[in-house]
Amino acid sequence: MTTQSKSEQDRVVIFDTTLRDGEQSPGATMTHEEKLEVAEVLDTMGVDIIEAGFPVASDGDFQAVHEIAKRTKNAVVCGLARAGHKDIDRAGEALKPARQSRIHTFISTSPVHMKWKLQMEPAQVYEMVISSVTRARNFTDNVEWSCEDGTRTEFDFLCRCAEAAINAGATTINIPDTVGYTVPEEYFNLIKMVRERVPNSDKARFSAHCHDDLGMAVANSLAGVRAGIRQIECTINGIGERAGNASLEEVVMAMKVRNDVLPYWTNVDTTMLMRASKLVSAVTSFPVQYNKAIVGRNAFAHESGIHQDGMLKHTQTYEIMIPETVGVKQTSLVMGKHSGRHAFVHKLEELGYQLAGNQLEDAFVRFKALADRKKHVYDEDLEALVDEEIAHAQDRIKLVSLTVIAGTHGPQRATMKLDIDGNVAIEEREGNGPVDATFNCIKALVPNEALLELYQVHAVTHGTDAQAEVSVRLSEDGRSVTAKGADPDTLVASAKAYLGALNRLMVKRQKGRPEPLVSERRVHSTEA
Ligand code: KIV
Ligand code: ZN
């Protein structure tokens, strides 16, 4: 609640890696259009650097980085590359149209990674640090170098590599806590030590990239800032490999709300945090946990009588931030079948959505259909509806109709019509219950070997006419995808979620995996 004093040396650069590390989360695939949409929101909200992808990983990644590079107006667009020349050249190529570009190259430096993952001697790794940064400098003078598994790297070697990277032209040195192993005090000491011991450390900006395996990614990143780091790598909703990365909204708000003890500032327009969170949740189908800091549904909700009483007397009794600061709007306008287009657009804007063209038209038609079936359309209903519009706009397989016969006298039977790439197909199947019959129809119409890992239903709002929101997770060949579907009819929501997951699986199949670096002999070691 203190105001921020804004000297340039206290500015912390926000490097968002939702589209790269975040998209690496198991199940979090985004389509090309969804990536562009997320990048646009990040750019508008004042993120300094957008890590748009890993161009050598697949043509899809390359195209996404290339298109984001073309469209981004304010932020630096960054592409990830391992230390090999092929990776770096591909990143350089993808970033060509960017107004401002950065190549982020990395190599493992810890004993365990060098021995088992890279199967390289430290001297070879050291040489690759120099050659990779030198190569990247041919494309841009904005080069970031990362020592993967930095927090488990021997100090001498870490300092020698960082010094060599800076000499070769790296302008940002990132010290990742790749496995989420460090604790705040240890990370503080590590960064302090590196900055003091590396003779040319004043020529580079230092960066934190902390994973959340022990739940300390945000705390570690902020400890890094206190030790002199001036770039935090983070993601919306904290998504990322395994337990995720430091959450962007948390690091930004920690520095804003506790500026008295963390006297640093960022360029992020915090009123857009909620919108970014919702968009990322919608396109990845990763729900935001209800009690998640800053953007969780309960972050500003007060249930107990004592708390409500305190809040009525003075909001500061139980609220350390004003909800509007992070884009939470408290309105009471409930929509219904008499609400017109103007009210609909206004409501969407309040909720942080800006739809236009066909997307807006389709959403409005679906809103009217929902309002015909449901007396009150609440904010949560609209969010589920619009999220679905965004997430499924590019789907190749669409549900046309579904009829299910269920009840005490089995067998249950479903009849389903699908639009698959513009062709309509119909199928009828029985099943052990209505959901099974529905899914059997889908399997008959779209044959696949994917394993159903998760099937979850919850009500979007209260009441027996509430919409059901179904989450489905499918896996195939070690790849997993998640999708959601919402509808007042639970079976229709289930079919939509299953089809959404199949659509995502098709996107993921195209994505493939990057070829191993010459030095990386084992396939599983090629992923960032
Ligand atoms: O976690 C990590 O070490 C990474 C690097 C590629 C920076 O994601
Ligand atoms: Zn990472």
Side-chain angles (χ1 to χ4, degrees), residues 268-513:
V268 171
D269 172 0
T270 60
T271 62
M272 289 187 68
L273 290 174
M274 200 61 175
R275 173 161 169 223
S277 165
K278 285 188 169 149
L279 176 64
V280 169
S281 171
V283 299
T284 55
S285 298
F286 271 33
V288 176
Q289 93 196 43
Y290 283 6
N291 59 333
K292 162 92 176 58
I294 318 295
V295 291
R297 181 185 282 196
N298 288 357
F300 297 97
H302 304 276
E303 177 92 17
S304 92
I306 296 173
H307 285 210
Q308 285 179 350
D309 180 57
M311 283 292 292
L312 288 172
K313 288 176 175 142
H314 200 296
T315 53
Q316 276 184 16
T317 51
Y318 287 104
E319 245 169 35
I320 59 164
M321 312 167 242
I322 300 163
E324 282 77 5
T325 326
V326 300
V328 174
K329 306 244 167 50
Q330 280 158 350
T331 56
S332 55
L333 182 63
V334 178
M335 309 283 287
K337 67 176 172 188
H338 300 298
S339 310
R341 183 185 303 268
H342 184 73
F344 179 68
V345 172
H346 180 72
K347 185 69 177 178
L348 290 190
E349 277 170 9
E350 268 183 7
L351 293 171
Y353 297 103
Q354 264 158 351
L355 300 190
N358 286 346
Q359 232 176 19
L360 178 61
E361 279 316 304
D362 292 349
F364 186 64
V365 169
R366 292 184 50 223
F367 156 68
K368 280 291 189 189
L370 181 64
D372 271 342
R373 295 167 75 183
K374 205 170 175 292
K375 188 156 181 253
H376 296 303
V377 179
Y378 298 100
D379 288 2
E380 291 87 345
D381 288 315
L382 285 177
E383 281 166 5
L385 185 145
V386 177
D387 286 353
E388 204 175 86
E389 193 60 46
I390 295 169
H392 300 302
Q394 310 298 324
D395 284 358
R396 288 176 53 192
I397 313 170
K398 293 190 171 94
L399 180 68
V400 179
S401 67
L402 173 69
T403 311
V404 184
I405 300 170
T408 47
H409 301 295
Q412 285 72 25
R413 176 170 285 275
T415 311
M416 178 178 285
K417 215 187 257 184
L418 293 184
D419 178 326
I420 307 173
D421 287 330
N423 301 311
V424 175
I426 187 160
E427 193 59 67
E428 191 176 309
R429 281 286 188 271
E430 289 183 354
N432 188 14
V435 176
D436 195 41
T438 304
F439 286 6
N440 285 343
C441 278
I442 297 180
K443 278 186 222 147
L445 287 162
V446 190
N448 66 85
E449 293 301 313
L451 190 74
L452 178 65
E453 283 188 340
L454 172 103
Y455 170 77
Q456 215 169 52
V457 187
H458 83 264
V460 173
T461 56
H462 55 272
T464 48
D465 67 344
Q467 287 199 91
E469 187 170 68
V470 176
S471 302
V472 161
R473 177 183 280 223
L474 296 178
S475 74
E476 180 192 79
D477 293 338
R479 304 178 174 102
S480 64
V481 289
T482 318
K484 286 194 286 192
D487 197 273
D489 184 317
T490 310
L491 295 169
V492 173
S494 304
K496 282 183 181 173
Y498 196 128
L499 292 171
L502 282 179
N503 279 299
R504 277 166 193 275
L505 210 49
M506 289 194 285
V507 174
K508 200 134 190 174
R509 279 187 203 128
Q510 283 163 6
K511 199 167 146 82
R513 294 194 166 94

Side-chain angles (χ1 to χ4, degrees), residues 2 52 85 91 116 132 150 211 219 221 238 258 288 301 377 384 476 479 491 521 523:
T2 48
H85 288 182
W116 296 108
S132 57
H211 279 269
S221 305
R258 293 311 310 275
V288 176
V377 179
E476 180 192 79
R479 304 178 174 102
L491 295 169
R521 297 188 188 116
V523 176

Side-chain angles (χ1 to χ4, degrees), residues 13 30 57 73 100 106 121 135 200-201 210 229-230 239 251 283 303 310 329 357 360 388 458 494 503 511:
V13 165
M30 295 177 218
K73 297 193 179 73
Q100 305 174 77
F106 72 99
E121 293 301 321
R135 182 89 177 185
N200 49 5
S201 66
C210 296
I229 265 173
R230 287 296 179 268
I239 63 169
V251 294
V283 299
E303 177 92 17
K329 306 244 167 50
L360 178 61
E388 204 175 86
H458 83 264
S494 304
N503 279 299
K511 199 167 146 82

Side-chain angles (χ1 to χ4, degrees), residues 49-310:
I49 297 135
I50 299 172
E51 188 165 51
F54 185 17
V56 83
S58 66
D59 285 346
D61 259 53
F62 180 91
Q63 293 305 341
V65 175
H66 195 68
E67 197 55 39
I68 291 169
K70 264 193 215 160
R71 295 179 181 213
T72 301
K73 297 193 179 73
N74 311 306
V76 174
V77 181
C78 175
L80 183 71
R82 291 168 298 182
H85 288 182
K86 190 174 164 203
D87 279 42
I88 293 166
D89 295 355
R90 198 78 179 130
E93 182 69 25
L95 291 165
K96 253 188 196 152
R99 286 184 179 80
Q100 305 174 77
S101 67
R102 171 182 292 188
I103 293 180
H104 175 193
T105 180
F106 72 99
I107 191 162
S108 295
T109 48
S110 67
V112 63
H113 273 220
M114 288 192 290
K115 179 166 181 202
W116 296 108
K117 171 179 149 161
L118 297 178
Q119 300 182 1
M120 286 169 78
E121 293 301 321
Q124 291 172 281
V125 169
Y126 182 80
E127 286 310 317
M128 284 188 81
V129 172
I130 298 169
S131 70
S132 57
V133 173
T134 308
R135 182 89 177 185
R137 282 296 301 242
N138 292 333
F139 295 95
T140 169
D141 55 11
N142 189 341
V143 174
E144 170 170 338
W145 176 75
S146 285
C147 42
E148 192 183 4
D149 206 15
T151 51
R152 294 192 299 170
T153 297
E154 286 170 356
F155 290 178
D156 284 351
F157 189 58
L158 179 56
C159 291
R160 282 208 305 122
C161 287
E163 181 183 356
I166 298 170
N167 278 336
T171 46
T172 300
I173 300 293
N174 182 35
I175 317 272
D177 184 27
T178 303
V179 289
Y181 181 69
T182 197
V183 299
E185 196 155 352
E186 183 183 62
Y187 196 60
F188 175 92
N189 289 330
L190 177 71
I191 302 303
K192 186 164 176 288
M193 179 280 296
V194 175
R195 291 188 63 235
E196 281 168 6
R197 273 180 51 180
V198 171
N200 49 5
S201 66
D202 61 322
K203 308 258 176 331
R205 185 190 298 272
F206 280 77
S207 165
H209 176 111
C210 296
H211 279 269
D212 208 31
D213 299 65
L214 292 174
M216 285 184 276
V218 169
N220 290 335
S221 305
L222 295 172
V225 172
R226 287 196 299 105
I229 265 173
R230 287 296 179 268
Q231 171 177 293
I232 296 181
E233 303 195 359
C234 45
T235 58
I236 301 293
N237 297 339
I239 63 169
E241 285 276 15
R242 306 181 308 281
N245 290 65
S247 128
L248 183 149
E249 54 278 9
E250 292 177 28
V251 294
V252 166
M253 287 310 290
M255 289 184 276
K256 190 175 171 87
V257 175
R258 293 311 310 275
N259 201 250
D260 51 337
V261 286
L262 293 165
Y264 314 102
W265 60 280
T266 73
N267 248 351
V268 171
D269 172 0
T270 60
T271 62
M272 289 187 68
L273 290 174
M274 200 61 175
R275 173 161 169 223
S277 165
K278 285 188 169 149
L279 176 64
V280 169
S281 171
V283 299
T284 55
S285 298
F286 271 33
V288 176
Q289 93 196 43
Y290 283 6
N291 59 333
K292 162 92 176 58
I294 318 295
V295 291
R297 181 185 282 196
N298 288 357
F300 297 97
H302 304 276
E303 177 92 17
S304 92
I306 296 173
H307 285 210
Q308 285 179 350
D309 180 57

